[in-house]
């Protein structure tokens, strides 16, 4: 499989990469301060919560404590929860949702569940033992107006300076995107459900 | 903060969510088989590798073994690697890259590193103790034509039927997207680097 490399090609490559490195070095030098980030993972593709849990893993590897509040998916992410249990007290996990909203069909109950979850979120963001707090599917609770958007954004903006917060879920509100430091839209390009493949343990749940 | 709910509003909500549930139930019933997926995380946004490691966590929680081959980022993801070490033999991690290509500026060395990484990838995909294999930044090696695309795709398509593979990195080749079951484009909406915030432990590395 080895591919021959001639001198001219090698030199072209070296010059291109040297230029790329100088751009990269300059970019890094331009960043001067650290701060806790408000991160939003939104979009219709997969990976919003999954990337948040990947970030949890990274923070754990750095010795930080991680808090998780699940706003909607009551029974989901049990596999991640089981795995993260291995880290003991370094992870605090709260499943506060009542299941999907289309499972409950009870607006008053949904709102009450969202309010309990938000109270827990406020508690964790105020607890300075946490380096990262994940508010999983908070966007869903905001989308259905189960929580007052202004109050949620004001609380998140007023958080401790070094605390990172990740908010996940489709249809992030424009005002939340405006308030965030880092926003990624997980865009669906292709999905195996369309080909009749069913949800599988380890992938979807 | 409690929001009053009148009967009409509650009924509208119930009807809407009942309809949503019936659509969801029908969708689930239409999916009939399980298979190992070829998953691609691409795009310029953050979360491509992070979501792959989040998926690793989920597979671990399901009792599966996970293999990781890093094609390019030699020194990166050390925090995730440290955290995953907690799971012992359940995770096998191989950093085969020589650092970023713009760090090495040596085409022959980059190609040799990519070929070694690919050989390790083939070894792991053939080892039926693994339920998931992550080929981190393979897209970069393919983009620079360090590896023969046709051979890589043919090998991935011919993998064991129950093996899940995740390929990460920007600029996924169209033929790879064509071959994949699930493709997500992590789209950059907003990045804190633009506001002068520097890379931070636990977030970027």
């Amino acid at each position: 499989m080895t591919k021959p490399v001639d001198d001219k090609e090698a030199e072209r490559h070296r010059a291109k990469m040297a230029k790329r490195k100088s751009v990269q070095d300059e970019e890094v030098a331009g960043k001067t301060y650290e701060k806790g980030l408000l991160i939003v993972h939104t979009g219709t593709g997969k990976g919003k919560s999954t990337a948040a849990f990947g970030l949890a893993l990274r923070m754990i590897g750095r010795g930080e404590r991680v808090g998780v509040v699940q706003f909607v998916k009551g029974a989901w992410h049990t596999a991640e929860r089981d795995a993260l249990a291995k880290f003991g007290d370094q992870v605090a996990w709260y499943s506060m949702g009542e299941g999907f909203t289309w499972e409950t069909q009870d607006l008053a109950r949904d709102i009450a569940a969202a309010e309990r979850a938000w109270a827990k979120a406020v508690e964790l963001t105020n607890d300075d033992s946490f380096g990262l707090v994940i508010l999983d599917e908070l966007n869903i609770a905001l989308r259905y107006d189960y929580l007052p958007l202004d109050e949620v954004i004001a609380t998140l903006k007023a958080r401790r300076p070094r605390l990172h917060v990740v908010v996940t879920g489709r249809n992030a509100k424009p005002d939340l995107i405006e308030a965030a430091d880092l926003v990624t839209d997980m865009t669906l390009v292709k999905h195996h459900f369309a080909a009749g493949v069913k949800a599988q343990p380890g992938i979807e749940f």
Side-chain angles (χ1 to χ4, degrees), chain A residues 46 76 100 191-205:
Chain A
K46 285 181 70 73
W76 284 42
F100 281 105
H191 201 295
H192 51 288
F193 284 1
V197 180
K198 72 178 184 179
Q200 296 173 80
I203 299 294
E204 274 84 15
F205 57 93

Side-chain angles (χ1 to χ4, degrees), chain A residues 56-165:
Chain A
L57 203 59
R58 187 177 290 173
M59 293 295 286
I60 290 165
R62 295 273 166 197
E64 300 278 353
R65 283 192 82 206
V66 175
V68 179
V69 180
Q70 291 195 284
F71 276 75
V72 179
K73 290 180 172 173
W76 284 42
H77 298 307
T78 49
E80 291 91 328
R81 187 177 182 163
D82 288 351
L84 289 173
K86 190 96 175 177
F87 299 100
D89 188 47
Q90 223 183 328
V91 178
W93 186 297
Y94 302 91
S95 297
M96 312 293 288
E98 298 279 301
F100 281 105
T101 50
W102 54 88
E103 293 289 344
T104 64
Q105 299 162 32
D106 181 336
L107 180 56
R109 196 175 114 180
D110 287 350
I111 291 175
E115 289 178 347
R116 278 195 305 275
W118 176 245
K120 179 56 75 178
V122 170
E123 182 192 320
L124 296 190
T125 56
N126 286 333
D127 177 344
D128 66 10
S129 71
F130 291 104
L132 169 68
V133 172
I134 296 172
L135 304 179
D136 190 48
E137 305 289 1
L138 170 58
N139 285 337
I140 309 296
L142 292 173
R143 185 198 180 184
Y144 287 114
D145 297 320
Y146 292 170
L147 296 170
L149 181 62
D150 289 354
E151 184 184 322
V152 167
I153 290 176
T155 303
L156 293 178
K157 287 182 91 160
R159 73 192 183 283
R160 290 176 283 123
R162 297 299 297 267
L163 177 69
H164 301 293
V165 174

Side-chain angles (χ1 to χ4, degrees), chain A residues 40-52 184-189:
Chain A
V40 175
H41 294 170
T42 192
T44 55
K46 285 181 70 73
K48 297 180 288 293
S49 299
T50 309
T184 305
D185 185 287
M186 275 64 175
T187 307
L188 178 67
V189 176

